Amino acid sequence: HRGKATKKHRRGGLTSPGILYRGIGGTVLPDDIVEGLTRFRQPVKKGARIDVWWLYDDGGLTILIPYILTQRRQFSSASLRVFSLASSRGELEYEQRSMAALLSKFRIDCSDVVVIPDVQKKAGDDTRGDFDALIEPFKEKADESRGEGFYIPNEEHLTNKDKTNRQLRLRELLLEHSLDASFVIMTLPMPRKGMVSAPLYMAWLETLTKDMPPFLLVRGNQTSVLTFYS
């Protein structure tokens, strides 16, 4: 009976997510997919943490969005932890104090500020091996004829070697620090048309976000969105 079925799947007056979300042709979605779709419908648990990787000066959008989220019911109990990059290991403590002072000036509360000193370090063999396997189908091959933009030219791959290593190191740092976060927000790597092909750029993004908690990549246009009063 329809009335009984509806009542059976109600929880606290709300229809069960399994009833609301269906696949193609009305097929039942697996529980883990439904859980992912409805993850933020309820407030996060006490002790939840949003990790913010503020890697570039983008006008402050990368830090503003997570701050706004913590002002909403779903994330009101979550704390912010902010990561930034150090220009040199010798200035690590100074840059950490400077970042903490900057956030305080903008009245953004955070539980911790972490300054990463070694993002330029060579990525590990396993990380590089995983990335090479990821881009292998998209590498330029002499015996194939594919339209421009559908493969990674060998010259481009070599030219962007340092940028690729940066993304791989960030991947390692994300796994080290943010695998247990409730939400990760990171500054989006800048895509430059004509400099980085679509397959290589998307491989960077896949490398950063694969098997991580919910992940948001965001980048402002360097127009300041943060203000403070002295």
Side-chain angles (χ1 to χ4, degrees):
H1 188 275
R2 184 177 179 182
K4 290 183 178 180
T6 303
K7 186 176 181 180
K8 181 180 179 180
H9 290 286
R10 287 181 177 272
R11 299 175 184 173
L14 296 175
T15 304
S16 168
I19 300 299
L20 293 175
Y21 297 96
R22 294 282 180 166
I24 297 174
T27 57
V28 177
L29 293 174
D31 290 343
D32 59 330
I33 293 180
V34 174
E35 182 181 352
L37 290 170
T38 60
R39 180 188 293 260
F40 296 128
R41 292 185 66 185
Q42 299 298 323
V44 296
K45 296 179 180 179
K46 188 174 182 179
R49 189 183 74 244
I50 300 175
D51 278 358
V52 184
W53 291 73
W54 193 9
L55 306 181
Y56 311 95
D57 180 11
D58 63 346
L61 189 64
T62 303
I63 192 67
L64 178 62
I65 288 178
Y67 169 75
I68 292 174
L69 286 176
T70 60
Q71 307 306 301
R72 300 297 185 264
R73 182 177 67 92
Q74 287 87 343
F75 290 96
S76 59
S77 61
S79 62
L80 293 182
R81 184 169 63 165
V82 179
F83 293 83
S84 65
L85 303 181
S87 55
S88 67
R89 182 175 288 274
E91 298 181 357
L92 191 62
E93 186 176 343
Y94 169 76
E95 294 198 24
Q96 189 169 12
R97 290 200 307 268
S98 297
M99 177 59 72
L102 179 65
L103 294 172
S104 176
K105 190 175 289 187
F106 290 127
R107 300 181 183 179
I108 295 177
D109 293 329
C110 61
S111 62
D112 197 10
V113 174
V114 181
V115 179
I116 303 294
D118 54 356
V119 73
Q120 303 299 339
K121 177 182 174 183
K122 187 177 181 180
D125 292 341
D126 289 344
T127 306
R128 287 186 284 117
D130 290 343
F131 184 78
D132 287 341
L134 177 64
I135 66 172
E136 180 61 34
F138 302 98
K139 286 184 177 179
E140 182 180 17
K141 296 179 176 62
D143 59 343
E144 283 188 348
S145 177
R146 286 184 282 183
E148 185 177 351
F150 291 93
Y151 63 90
I152 304 171
N154 295 327
E155 183 179 354
E156 177 193 301
H157 187 34
L158 293 173
T159 302
N160 288 285
K161 181 175 63 174
D162 291 341
K163 291 182 179 179
T164 294
N165 185 74
R166 181 187 180 90
Q167 311 312 321
L168 300 186
R169 275 295 295 143
L170 286 172
R171 165 68 176 180
E172 293 175 341
L173 292 166
L174 282 163
L175 290 174
E176 179 182 349
H177 295 285
S178 295
L179 197 57
D180 62 341
S182 303
F183 197 11
V184 180
I185 298 178
M186 175 179 273
T187 313
L188 179 74
M190 178 63 78
R192 298 188 182 277
K193 188 175 181 180
M195 300 291 291
V196 181
S197 62
L200 180 58
Y201 182 68
M202 295 306 295
W204 289 350
L205 302 189
E206 172 68 11
T207 297
L208 291 172
T209 60
K210 182 181 179 182
D211 297 329
M212 292 296 296
F215 207 111
L216 174 64
L217 290 162
V218 60
R219 183 146 188 159
N221 62 1
Q222 295 186 314
T223 299
S224 179
V225 295
L226 299 174
T227 57
F228 66 91
Y229 299 95
S230 57

mmCIF file of all heavy atoms in Angstrom, residues 42-89:
data_model
loop_
_atom_site.group_PDB
_atom_site.id
_atom_site.type_symbol
_atom_site.label_atom_id
_atom_site.label_comp_id
_atom_site.label_asym_id
_atom_site.label_seq_id
_atom_site.Cartn_x
_atom_site.Cartn_y
_atom_site.Cartn_z
ATOM 1 N N GLN A 42 22.652 17.231 7.153
ATOM 2 C CA GLN A 42 22.607 17.325 8.607
ATOM 3 C C GLN A 42 23.886 17.997 9.105
ATOM 4 O O GLN A 42 24.927 17.933 8.452
ATOM 5 C CB GLN A 42 22.471 15.929 9.231
ATOM 6 C CG GLN A 42 21.213 15.184 8.817
ATOM 7 C CD GLN A 42 19.951 15.906 9.255
ATOM 8 O OE1 GLN A 42 19.910 16.498 10.342
ATOM 9 N NE2 GLN A 42 18.921 15.877 8.419
ATOM 10 N N PRO A 43 23.838 18.649 10.267
ATOM 11 C CA PRO A 43 25.041 19.299 10.804
ATOM 12 C C PRO A 43 26.169 18.295 11.013
ATOM 13 O O PRO A 43 25.930 17.136 11.361
ATOM 14 C CB PRO A 43 24.555 19.875 12.143
ATOM 15 C CG PRO A 43 23.077 20.017 11.990
ATOM 16 C CD PRO A 43 22.648 18.884 11.114
ATOM 17 N N VAL A 44 27.395 18.747 10.776
ATOM 18 C CA VAL A 44 28.543 17.881 11.021
ATOM 19 C C VAL A 44 28.685 17.657 12.522
ATOM 20 O O VAL A 44 28.207 18.447 13.337
ATOM 21 C CB VAL A 44 29.839 18.500 10.450
ATOM 22 C CG1 VAL A 44 29.757 18.605 8.944
ATOM 23 C CG2 VAL A 44 30.115 19.864 11.077
ATOM 24 N N LYS A 45 29.336 16.573 12.881
ATOM 25 C CA LYS A 45 29.477 16.232 14.291
ATOM 26 C C LYS A 45 30.445 17.177 14.994
ATOM 27 O O LYS A 45 31.305 17.791 14.368
ATOM 28 C CB LYS A 45 29.971 14.789 14.421
ATOM 29 C CG LYS A 45 28.990 13.753 13.894
ATOM 30 C CD LYS A 45 29.550 12.352 14.042
ATOM 31 C CE LYS A 45 28.566 11.312 13.508
ATOM 32 N NZ LYS A 45 29.104 9.929 13.622
ATOM 33 N N LYS A 46 30.288 17.270 16.287
ATOM 34 C CA LYS A 46 31.191 18.091 17.084
ATOM 35 C C LYS A 46 32.609 17.555 16.939
ATOM 36 O O LYS A 46 32.837 16.348 16.982
ATOM 37 C CB LYS A 46 30.766 18.059 18.557
ATOM 38 C CG LYS A 46 31.527 19.043 19.429
ATOM 39 C CD LYS A 46 30.971 19.063 20.836
ATOM 40 C CE LYS A 46 31.719 20.084 21.689
ATOM 41 N NZ LYS A 46 31.181 20.143 23.076
ATOM 42 N N GLY A 47 33.557 18.446 16.759
ATOM 43 C CA GLY A 47 34.937 18.029 16.539
ATOM 44 C C GLY A 47 35.306 17.929 15.075
ATOM 45 O O GLY A 47 36.456 17.624 14.741
ATOM 46 N N ALA A 48 34.340 18.188 14.183
ATOM 47 C CA ALA A 48 34.633 18.166 12.745
ATOM 48 C C ALA A 48 35.609 19.286 12.401
ATOM 49 O O ALA A 48 35.695 20.302 13.100
ATOM 50 C CB ALA A 48 33.344 18.313 11.949
ATOM 51 N N ARG A 49 36.326 19.107 11.304
ATOM 52 C CA ARG A 49 37.358 20.080 10.940
ATOM 53 C C ARG A 49 37.340 20.348 9.438
ATOM 54 O O ARG A 49 37.221 19.421 8.641
ATOM 55 C CB ARG A 49 38.734 19.543 11.343
ATOM 56 C CG ARG A 49 39.867 20.554 11.215
ATOM 57 C CD ARG A 49 41.202 19.928 11.552
ATOM 58 N NE ARG A 49 41.680 19.044 10.494
ATOM 59 C CZ ARG A 49 41.862 17.744 10.632
ATOM 60 N NH1 ARG A 49 41.590 17.150 11.784
ATOM 61 N NH2 ARG A 49 42.308 17.011 9.620
ATOM 62 N N ILE A 50 37.433 21.619 9.095
ATOM 63 C CA ILE A 50 37.593 22.026 7.699
ATOM 64 C C ILE A 50 39.047 22.432 7.502
ATOM 65 O O ILE A 50 39.537 23.345 8.174
ATOM 66 C CB ILE A 50 36.663 23.199 7.341
ATOM 67 C CG1 ILE A 50 35.196 22.819 7.553
ATOM 68 C CG2 ILE A 50 36.891 23.632 5.894
ATOM 69 C CD1 ILE A 50 34.228 23.972 7.323
ATOM 70 N N ASP A 51 39.737 21.750 6.611
ATOM 71 C CA ASP A 51 41.123 22.099 6.303
ATOM 72 C C ASP A 51 41.147 23.028 5.090
ATOM 73 O O ASP A 51 40.591 22.698 4.035
ATOM 74 C CB ASP A 51 41.944 20.841 6.005
ATOM 75 C CG ASP A 51 42.414 20.152 7.282
ATOM 76 O OD1 ASP A 51 42.125 20.675 8.377
ATOM 77 O OD2 ASP A 51 43.064 19.093 7.183
ATOM 78 N N VAL A 52 41.792 24.169 5.260
ATOM 79 C CA VAL A 52 41.863 25.180 4.206
ATOM 80 C C VAL A 52 43.307 25.302 3.739
ATOM 81 O O VAL A 52 44.187 25.683 4.517
ATOM 82 C CB VAL A 52 41.360 26.547 4.709
ATOM 83 C CG1 VAL A 52 41.358 27.558 3.566
ATOM 84 C CG2 VAL A 52 39.976 26.425 5.334
ATOM 85 N N TRP A 53 43.540 24.974 2.477
ATOM 86 C CA TRP A 53 44.880 25.095 1.894
ATOM 87 C C TRP A 53 44.899 26.371 1.061
ATOM 88 O O TRP A 53 44.517 26.381 -0.105
ATOM 89 C CB TRP A 53 45.207 23.859 1.055
ATOM 90 C CG TRP A 53 45.396 22.623 1.896
ATOM 91 C CD1 TRP A 53 44.423 21.911 2.532
ATOM 92 C CD2 TRP A 53 46.632 21.977 2.204
ATOM 93 N NE1 TRP A 53 44.969 20.853 3.217
ATOM 94 C CE2 TRP A 53 46.327 20.866 3.033
ATOM 95 C CE3 TRP A 53 47.962 22.216 1.857
ATOM 96 C CZ2 TRP A 53 47.311 20.009 3.516
ATOM 97 C CZ3 TRP A 53 48.940 21.365 2.338
ATOM 98 C CH2 TRP A 53 48.613 20.275 3.159
ATOM 99 N N TRP A 54 45.337 27.450 1.699
ATOM 100 C CA TRP A 54 45.371 28.776 1.066
ATOM 101 C C TRP A 54 46.760 28.952 0.466
ATOM 102 O O TRP A 54 47.698 29.381 1.127
ATOM 103 C CB TRP A 54 45.067 29.840 2.112
ATOM 104 C CG TRP A 54 44.780 31.197 1.551
ATOM 105 C CD1 TRP A 54 44.601 31.528 0.242
ATOM 106 C CD2 TRP A 54 44.628 32.410 2.288
ATOM 107 N NE1 TRP A 54 44.340 32.866 0.119
ATOM 108 C CE2 TRP A 54 44.350 33.439 1.359
ATOM 109 C CE3 TRP A 54 44.691 32.729 3.642
ATOM 110 C CZ2 TRP A 54 44.151 34.759 1.747
ATOM 111 C CZ3 TRP A 54 44.488 34.039 4.032
ATOM 112 C CH2 TRP A 54 44.216 35.044 3.093
ATOM 113 N N LEU A 55 46.894 28.610 -0.808
ATOM 114 C CA LEU A 55 48.212 28.476 -1.425
ATOM 115 C C LEU A 55 48.671 29.716 -2.180
ATOM 116 O O LEU A 55 49.861 29.884 -2.422
ATOM 117 C CB LEU A 55 48.210 27.276 -2.386
ATOM 118 C CG LEU A 55 47.749 25.943 -1.776
ATOM 119 C CD1 LEU A 55 47.813 24.847 -2.825
ATOM 120 C CD2 LEU A 55 48.583 25.584 -0.556
ATOM 121 N N TYR A 56 47.732 30.551 -2.600
ATOM 122 C CA TYR A 56 48.081 31.735 -3.390
ATOM 123 C C TYR A 56 47.246 32.915 -2.906
ATOM 124 O O TYR A 56 46.175 32.740 -2.329
ATOM 125 C CB TYR A 56 47.801 31.511 -4.886
ATOM 126 C CG TYR A 56 48.336 30.225 -5.451
ATOM 127 C CD1 TYR A 56 47.524 29.095 -5.531
ATOM 128 C CD2 TYR A 56 49.643 30.131 -5.911
ATOM 129 C CE1 TYR A 56 48.005 27.902 -6.049
ATOM 130 C CE2 TYR A 56 50.136 28.940 -6.433
ATOM 131 C CZ TYR A 56 49.314 27.833 -6.497
ATOM 132 O OH TYR A 56 49.788 26.652 -7.007
ATOM 133 N N ASP A 57 47.742 34.109 -3.179
ATOM 134 C CA ASP A 57 46.972 35.308 -2.863
ATOM 135 C C ASP A 57 45.926 35.507 -3.955
ATOM 136 O O ASP A 57 46.208 36.041 -5.021
ATOM 137 C CB ASP A 57 47.903 36.525 -2.786
ATOM 138 C CG ASP A 57 47.133 37.799 -2.451
ATOM 139 O OD1 ASP A 57 45.945 37.688 -2.076
ATOM 140 O OD2 ASP A 57 47.715 38.888 -2.575
ATOM 141 N N ASP A 58 44.714 35.037 -3.684
ATOM 142 C CA ASP A 58 43.638 35.125 -4.679
ATOM 143 C C ASP A 58 42.586 36.152 -4.276
ATOM 144 O O ASP A 58 41.461 36.118 -4.763
ATOM 145 C CB ASP A 58 42.983 33.756 -4.880
ATOM 146 C CG ASP A 58 42.304 33.250 -3.610
ATOM 147 O OD1 ASP A 58 42.567 33.825 -2.533
ATOM 148 O OD2 ASP A 58 41.510 32.296 -3.694
ATOM 149 N N GLY A 59 42.955 37.049 -3.373
ATOM 150 C CA GLY A 59 42.001 38.038 -2.889
ATOM 151 C C GLY A 59 41.285 37.609 -1.624
ATOM 152 O O GLY A 59 40.500 38.370 -1.062
ATOM 153 N N GLY A 60 41.541 36.384 -1.183
ATOM 154 C CA GLY A 60 40.964 35.914 0.073
ATOM 155 C C GLY A 60 39.751 35.019 -0.070
ATOM 156 O O GLY A 60 39.187 34.576 0.933
ATOM 157 N N LEU A 61 39.333 34.726 -1.310
ATOM 158 C CA LEU A 61 38.128 33.912 -1.496
ATOM 159 C C LEU A 61 38.295 32.515 -0.904
ATOM 160 O O LEU A 61 37.349 31.948 -0.346
ATOM 161 C CB LEU A 61 37.789 33.810 -2.988
ATOM 162 C CG LEU A 61 36.436 33.172 -3.326
ATOM 163 C CD1 LEU A 61 35.288 34.012 -2.784
ATOM 164 C CD2 LEU A 61 36.290 32.997 -4.842
ATOM 165 N N THR A 62 39.501 31.969 -0.996
ATOM 166 C CA THR A 62 39.745 30.616 -0.493
ATOM 167 C C THR A 62 39.526 30.523 1.007
ATOM 168 O O THR A 62 39.121 29.472 1.514
ATOM 169 C CB THR A 62 41.181 30.168 -0.842
ATOM 170 O OG1 THR A 62 41.360 30.235 -2.259
ATOM 171 C CG2 THR A 62 41.440 28.743 -0.391
ATOM 172 N N ILE A 63 39.782 31.594 1.738
ATOM 173 C CA ILE A 63 39.574 31.576 3.189
ATOM 174 C C ILE A 63 38.190 32.102 3.564
ATOM 175 O O ILE A 63 37.627 31.717 4.596
ATOM 176 C CB ILE A 63 40.676 32.386 3.911
ATOM 177 C CG1 ILE A 63 40.644 32.128 5.423
ATOM 178 C CG2 ILE A 63 40.556 33.865 3.631
ATOM 179 C CD1 ILE A 63 41.025 30.741 5.819
ATOM 180 N N LEU A 64 37.611 32.947 2.722
ATOM 181 C CA LEU A 64 36.290 33.507 3.032
ATOM 182 C C LEU A 64 35.196 32.441 2.966
ATOM 183 O O LEU A 64 34.314 32.393 3.832
ATOM 184 C CB LEU A 64 35.964 34.646 2.065
ATOM 185 C CG LEU A 64 34.581 35.297 2.247
ATOM 186 C CD1 LEU A 64 34.466 35.939 3.624
ATOM 187 C CD2 LEU A 64 34.322 36.325 1.143
ATOM 188 N N ILE A 65 35.243 31.583 1.957
ATOM 189 C CA ILE A 65 34.190 30.568 1.795
ATOM 190 C C ILE A 65 34.106 29.631 2.997
ATOM 191 O O ILE A 65 33.016 29.416 3.544
ATOM 192 C CB ILE A 65 34.386 29.796 0.477
ATOM 193 C CG1 ILE A 65 34.026 30.707 -0.703
ATOM 194 C CG2 ILE A 65 33.535 28.531 0.450
ATOM 195 C CD1 ILE A 65 34.227 30.076 -2.058
ATOM 196 N N PRO A 66 35.219 29.052 3.465
ATOM 197 C CA PRO A 66 35.096 28.193 4.653
ATOM 198 C C PRO A 66 34.639 28.955 5.893
ATOM 199 O O PRO A 66 33.919 28.400 6.730
ATOM 200 C CB PRO A 66 36.507 27.622 4.832
ATOM 201 C CG PRO A 66 37.399 28.482 4.018
ATOM 202 C CD PRO A 66 36.577 28.997 2.899
ATOM 203 N N TYR A 67 35.041 30.227 6.016
ATOM 204 C CA TYR A 67 34.566 31.015 7.154
ATOM 205 C C TYR A 67 33.046 31.164 7.104
ATOM 206 O O TYR A 67 32.358 31.002 8.120
ATOM 207 C CB TYR A 67 35.228 32.393 7.156
ATOM 208 C CG TYR A 67 34.592 33.342 8.148
ATOM 209 C CD1 TYR A 67 34.825 33.203 9.515
ATOM 210 C CD2 TYR A 67 33.729 34.347 7.718
ATOM 211 C CE1 TYR A 67 34.222 34.050 10.431
ATOM 212 C CE2 TYR A 67 33.126 35.202 8.623
ATOM 213 C CZ TYR A 67 33.372 35.045 9.978
ATOM 214 O OH TYR A 67 32.760 35.881 10.878
ATOM 215 N N ILE A 68 32.513 31.466 5.920
ATOM 216 C CA ILE A 68 31.057 31.596 5.774
ATOM 217 C C ILE A 68 30.366 30.274 6.102
ATOM 218 O O ILE A 68 29.309 30.249 6.745
ATOM 219 C CB ILE A 68 30.698 32.066 4.351
ATOM 220 C CG1 ILE A 68 31.171 33.513 4.138
ATOM 221 C CG2 ILE A 68 29.199 31.963 4.101
ATOM 222 C CD1 ILE A 68 30.982 34.019 2.723
ATOM 223 N N LEU A 69 30.969 29.169 5.683
ATOM 224 C CA LEU A 69 30.382 27.858 5.974
ATOM 225 C C LEU A 69 30.245 27.634 7.476
ATOM 226 O O LEU A 69 29.237 27.079 7.937
ATOM 227 C CB LEU A 69 31.237 26.746 5.360
ATOM 228 C CG LEU A 69 31.159 26.567 3.845
ATOM 229 C CD1 LEU A 69 32.136 25.489 3.383
ATOM 230 C CD2 LEU A 69 29.738 26.197 3.410
ATOM 231 N N THR A 70 31.241 28.054 8.245
ATOM 232 C CA THR A 70 31.182 27.838 9.698
ATOM 233 C C THR A 70 30.131 28.713 10.373
ATOM 234 O O THR A 70 29.815 28.495 11.543
ATOM 235 C CB THR A 70 32.549 28.098 10.358
ATOM 236 O OG1 THR A 70 32.956 29.457 10.118
ATOM 237 C CG2 THR A 70 33.604 27.145 9.819
ATOM 238 N N GLN A 71 29.595 29.682 9.651
ATOM 239 C CA GLN A 71 28.522 30.512 10.192
ATOM 240 C C GLN A 71 27.148 29.903 9.919
ATOM 241 O O GLN A 71 26.136 30.441 10.359
ATOM 242 C CB GLN A 71 28.579 31.923 9.588
ATOM 243 C CG GLN A 71 29.928 32.612 9.713
ATOM 244 C CD GLN A 71 30.436 32.654 11.133
ATOM 245 O OE1 GLN A 71 29.784 33.203 12.019
ATOM 246 N NE2 GLN A 71 31.605 32.062 11.363
ATOM 247 N N ARG A 72 27.123 28.792 9.187
ATOM 248 C CA ARG A 72 25.869 28.115 8.868
ATOM 249 C C ARG A 72 25.668 26.913 9.790
ATOM 250 O O ARG A 72 26.618 26.357 10.321
ATOM 251 C CB ARG A 72 25.860 27.653 7.398
ATOM 252 C CG ARG A 72 26.000 28.792 6.396
ATOM 253 C CD ARG A 72 24.817 29.756 6.490
ATOM 254 N NE ARG A 72 24.859 30.796 5.468
ATOM 255 C CZ ARG A 72 25.354 31.999 5.651
ATOM 256 N NH1 ARG A 72 25.899 32.309 6.821
ATOM 257 N NH2 ARG A 72 25.325 32.899 4.684
ATOM 258 N N ARG A 73 24.425 26.516 9.926
ATOM 259 C CA ARG A 73 24.079 25.460 10.874
ATOM 260 C C ARG A 73 24.846 24.169 10.616
ATOM 261 O O ARG A 73 25.322 23.525 11.552
ATOM 262 C CB ARG A 73 22.569 25.188 10.798
ATOM 263 C CG ARG A 73 22.067 24.125 11.776
ATOM 264 C CD ARG A 73 20.560 23.986 11.672
ATOM 265 N NE ARG A 73 20.169 23.434 10.382
ATOM 266 C CZ ARG A 73 20.008 22.124 10.155
ATOM 267 N NH1 ARG A 73 20.216 21.257 11.131
ATOM 268 N NH2 ARG A 73 19.628 21.693 8.975
ATOM 269 N N GLN A 74 24.990 23.785 9.346
ATOM 270 C CA GLN A 74 25.621 22.502 9.042
ATOM 271 C C GLN A 74 27.073 22.422 9.508
ATOM 272 O O GLN A 74 27.577 21.351 9.819
ATOM 273 C CB GLN A 74 25.561 22.215 7.535
ATOM 274 C CG GLN A 74 24.185 21.845 7.016
ATOM 275 C CD GLN A 74 23.380 23.073 6.645
ATOM 276 O OE1 GLN A 74 23.703 24.179 7.055
ATOM 277 N NE2 GLN A 74 22.326 22.874 5.866
ATOM 278 N N PHE A 75 27.767 23.572 9.547
ATOM 279 C CA PHE A 75 29.189 23.559 9.897
ATOM 280 C C PHE A 75 29.499 24.405 11.131
ATOM 281 O O PHE A 75 30.656 24.720 11.381
ATOM 282 C CB PHE A 75 30.020 24.078 8.719
ATOM 283 C CG PHE A 75 30.070 23.148 7.549
ATOM 284 C CD1 PHE A 75 29.203 23.320 6.479
ATOM 285 C CD2 PHE A 75 30.959 22.093 7.510
ATOM 286 C CE1 PHE A 75 29.233 22.468 5.394
ATOM 287 C CE2 PHE A 75 31.002 21.234 6.430
ATOM 288 C CZ PHE A 75 30.139 21.417 5.365
ATOM 289 N N SER A 76 28.489 24.753 11.894
ATOM 290 C CA SER A 76 28.706 25.654 13.029
ATOM 291 C C SER A 76 29.617 25.048 14.098
ATOM 292 O O SER A 76 30.270 25.782 14.850
ATOM 293 C CB SER A 76 27.366 26.049 13.654
ATOM 294 O OG SER A 76 26.666 24.901 14.101
ATOM 295 N N SER A 77 29.681 23.721 14.177
ATOM 296 C CA SER A 77 30.528 23.080 15.187
ATOM 297 C C SER A 77 31.899 22.695 14.636
ATOM 298 O O SER A 77 32.714 22.103 15.354
ATOM 299 C CB SER A 77 29.835 21.828 15.735
ATOM 300 O OG SER A 77 29.607 20.881 14.704
ATOM 301 N N ALA A 78 32.163 23.020 13.374
ATOM 302 C CA ALA A 78 33.446 22.658 12.761
ATOM 303 C C ALA A 78 34.490 23.736 13.024
ATOM 304 O O ALA A 78 34.186 24.924 13.084
ATOM 305 C CB ALA A 78 33.275 22.455 11.257
ATOM 306 N N SER A 79 35.725 23.311 13.171
ATOM 307 C CA SER A 79 36.837 24.249 13.332
ATOM 308 C C SER A 79 37.573 24.389 12.008
ATOM 309 O O SER A 79 37.482 23.523 11.132
ATOM 310 C CB SER A 79 37.802 23.752 14.413
ATOM 311 O OG SER A 79 38.358 22.496 14.039
ATOM 312 N N LEU A 80 38.297 25.487 11.867
ATOM 313 C CA LEU A 80 39.099 25.731 10.668
ATOM 314 C C LEU A 80 40.571 25.494 10.983
ATOM 315 O O LEU A 80 41.073 25.939 12.017
ATOM 316 C CB LEU A 80 38.927 27.168 10.172
ATOM 317 C CG LEU A 80 37.568 27.595 9.613
ATOM 318 C CD1 LEU A 80 37.644 29.046 9.149
ATOM 319 C CD2 LEU A 80 37.145 26.697 8.469
ATOM 320 N N ARG A 81 41.237 24.811 10.090
ATOM 321 C CA ARG A 81 42.693 24.686 10.170
ATOM 322 C C ARG A 81 43.257 25.177 8.844
ATOM 323 O O ARG A 81 42.856 24.696 7.784
ATOM 324 C CB ARG A 81 43.119 23.239 10.440
ATOM 325 C CG ARG A 81 44.623 23.103 10.634
ATOM 326 C CD ARG A 81 45.016 21.737 11.151
ATOM 327 N NE ARG A 81 44.687 20.667 10.226
ATOM 328 C CZ ARG A 81 45.184 19.435 10.320
ATOM 329 N NH1 ARG A 81 46.000 19.121 11.308
ATOM 330 N NH2 ARG A 81 44.843 18.506 9.449
ATOM 331 N N VAL A 82 44.176 26.129 8.904
ATOM 332 C CA VAL A 82 44.655 26.799 7.700
ATOM 333 C C VAL A 82 46.090 26.385 7.391
ATOM 334 O O VAL A 82 46.962 26.412 8.266
ATOM 335 C CB VAL A 82 44.572 28.333 7.860
ATOM 336 C CG1 VAL A 82 45.107 29.030 6.613
ATOM 337 C CG2 VAL A 82 43.128 28.760 8.135
ATOM 338 N N PHE A 83 46.312 26.017 6.125
ATOM 339 C CA PHE A 83 47.647 25.673 5.642
ATOM 340 C C PHE A 83 48.099 26.743 4.647
ATOM 341 O O PHE A 83 47.312 27.211 3.824
ATOM 342 C CB PHE A 83 47.638 24.317 4.928
ATOM 343 C CG PHE A 83 47.357 23.149 5.828
ATOM 344 C CD1 PHE A 83 46.051 22.811 6.162
ATOM 345 C CD2 PHE A 83 48.389 22.379 6.340
ATOM 346 C CE1 PHE A 83 45.779 21.734 6.988
ATOM 347 C CE2 PHE A 83 48.132 21.298 7.168
ATOM 348 C CZ PHE A 83 46.824 20.974 7.496
ATOM 349 N N SER A 84 49.360 27.107 4.721
ATOM 350 C CA SER A 84 49.947 28.006 3.725
ATOM 351 C C SER A 84 51.363 27.529 3.431
ATOM 352 O O SER A 84 51.896 26.660 4.127
ATOM 353 C CB SER A 84 49.951 29.458 4.223
ATOM 354 O OG SER A 84 50.794 29.591 5.347
ATOM 355 N N LEU A 85 51.971 28.103 2.409
ATOM 356 C CA LEU A 85 53.296 27.674 1.980
ATOM 357 C C LEU A 85 54.348 28.680 2.424
ATOM 358 O O LEU A 85 54.139 29.892 2.329
ATOM 359 C CB LEU A 85 53.333 27.523 0.458
ATOM 360 C CG LEU A 85 52.305 26.565 -0.141
ATOM 361 C CD1 LEU A 85 52.474 26.499 -1.648
ATOM 362 C CD2 LEU A 85 52.426 25.173 0.468
ATOM 363 N N ALA A 86 55.478 28.173 2.886
ATOM 364 C CA ALA A 86 56.586 29.031 3.302
ATOM 365 C C ALA A 86 57.522 29.256 2.126
ATOM 366 O O ALA A 86 57.753 28.352 1.316
ATOM 367 C CB ALA A 86 57.348 28.391 4.459
ATOM 368 N N SER A 87 58.062 30.467 2.037
ATOM 369 C CA SER A 87 59.019 30.761 0.972
ATOM 370 C C SER A 87 60.383 30.159 1.276
ATOM 371 O O SER A 87 61.154 29.849 0.372
ATOM 372 C CB SER A 87 59.142 32.276 0.778
ATOM 373 O OG SER A 87 59.476 32.907 2.004
ATOM 374 N N SER A 88 60.685 29.985 2.564
ATOM 375 C CA SER A 88 61.942 29.346 2.956
ATOM 376 C C SER A 88 61.778 28.750 4.347
ATOM 377 O O SER A 88 60.995 29.244 5.161
ATOM 378 C CB SER A 88 63.097 30.351 2.950
ATOM 379 O OG SER A 88 62.926 31.319 3.962
ATOM 380 N N ARG A 89 62.523 27.676 4.615
ATOM 381 C CA ARG A 89 62.419 27.007 5.914
ATOM 382 C C ARG A 89 62.873 27.921 7.047
ATOM 383 O O ARG A 89 62.371 27.844 8.171
ATOM 384 C CB ARG A 89 63.256 25.725 5.893
ATOM 385 C CG ARG A 89 63.186 24.914 7.168
ATOM 386 C CD ARG A 89 63.935 23.604 7.026
ATOM 387 N NE ARG A 89 63.224 22.676 6.172
ATOM 388 C CZ ARG A 89 62.273 21.855 6.598
ATOM 389 N NH1 ARG A 89 61.904 21.876 7.874
ATOM 390 N NH2 ARG A 89 61.681 21.029 5.763
#
